[in-house]
Amino acid sequence: MDLTREILSDIKIEKDFLSSLSCDFLVSFAEDNPDIFKSRKTFFPNYGLKKDLGEYFSCQFSRDCFSDIFKEHLDITFNGLPVKEIQLNRYEAGDFIPPHKDMQRSIHTIIVPLQDDCENKLVIGDPEGYYNGTSVEESDKEGKTKSFPDTKGDGYRFDGVHLVHWVPPVKSKRYSATFLYAI
């Protein structure tokens, strides 16, 4: 069954959502402040659909907190909404997030890779292949998933919390930022 059309109707690509300069600023900020990251196995665990846990690190900034840190680089609204929270994720080679649906309440979620790396991907769609050990390339070819290679600054947006998505084990150090928009 080819779900590609359905997947593509659920996700929108916001080209150049962040400038290259903003991406570089966030990566530099993360590299200069490694102690702000906590393992998501213990800090607000992000459970997969089968209650499995990924291996990655994260830090979260609420609207009140990040305004002083990021205001100059990230004064971002979307569809008239201010960003409610920014989450920075750091992955070491081999780290991953299992298939999941987001738990937080947001109107828009925008996931932004902070570096270019065609080996690292965000995957949307049927998690069956993930749990059965099918490669992302094969699952994409079968039309069960759609993977998006990391393109620096592009935002991958979905609305609500129904979309199943994951990050397969990354090939190299990866940083991404997730922007949550709510009233």
Side-chain angles (χ1 to χ4, degrees):
M1 177 179 188
D2 191 342
L3 300 173
T4 306
R5 187 175 307 160
E6 182 180 328
I7 293 166
L8 291 175
S9 70
D10 284 342
I11 192 159
K12 306 294 183 244
I13 300 173
E14 305 294 337
K15 296 296 282 179
D16 300 316
F17 181 77
L18 287 182
S19 70
S20 181
L21 184 64
S22 292
C23 291
D24 292 345
F25 168 79
L26 288 173
V27 169
S28 178
F29 176 82
E31 294 276 326
D32 290 345
N33 297 282
D35 294 341
I36 63 174
F37 289 92
K38 295 182 175 37
S39 170
R40 286 301 295 267
K41 281 190 166 186
T42 56
F43 177 71
F44 290 120
N46 188 4
Y47 292 102
L49 296 174
K50 295 190 175 188
K51 303 298 180 212
D52 45 338
L53 285 170
E55 182 67 50
Y56 69 109
F57 298 86
S58 172
C59 61
Q60 300 167 345
F61 300 92
S62 69
R63 182 180 300 150
D64 299 334
C65 178
F66 70 75
S67 60
D68 293 337
I69 300 169
F70 302 131
K71 184 78 170 159
E72 179 181 341
H73 297 279
L74 303 172
D75 188 13
I76 295 173
T77 59
F78 188 79
N79 283 346
L81 294 173
V83 64
K84 174 185 169 191
E85 180 180 299
I86 296 173
Q87 180 177 306
L88 288 179
N89 291 335
R90 183 188 80 212
Y91 308 77
E92 301 296 331
D95 287 358
F96 64 96
I97 301 176
H100 67 283
K101 293 181 181 182
D102 289 343
M103 296 180 295
Q104 73 278 356
R105 301 235 185 265
S106 63
I107 296 172
H108 306 295
T109 298
I110 302 176
I111 301 169
V112 184
L114 300 178
Q115 303 128 311
D116 286 316
D117 189 334
C118 64
E119 296 281 324
N120 295 331
K121 298 174 175 37
L122 171 68
V123 181
I124 311 293
D126 185 349
E128 175 188 331
Y130 174 89
Y131 288 113
N132 291 336
T134 304
S135 73
V136 170
E137 294 76 16
E138 186 177 332
S139 184
D140 281 356
K141 190 183 292 184
E142 292 173 359
K144 293 181 179 181
T145 59
K146 175 67 178 150
S147 63
F148 300 90
D150 282 359
T151 302
K152 182 179 182 177
D154 281 357
Y156 302 100
R157 174 177 62 90
F158 55 92
D159 302 328
V161 295
H162 70 282
L163 194 67
V164 176
H165 58 288
W166 65 95
V167 175
V170 300
K171 307 296 184 192
S172 60
K173 192 169 202 175
R174 176 186 196 256
Y175 286 103
S176 67
T178 301
F179 295 79
L180 303 175
Y181 292 88
I183 297 174

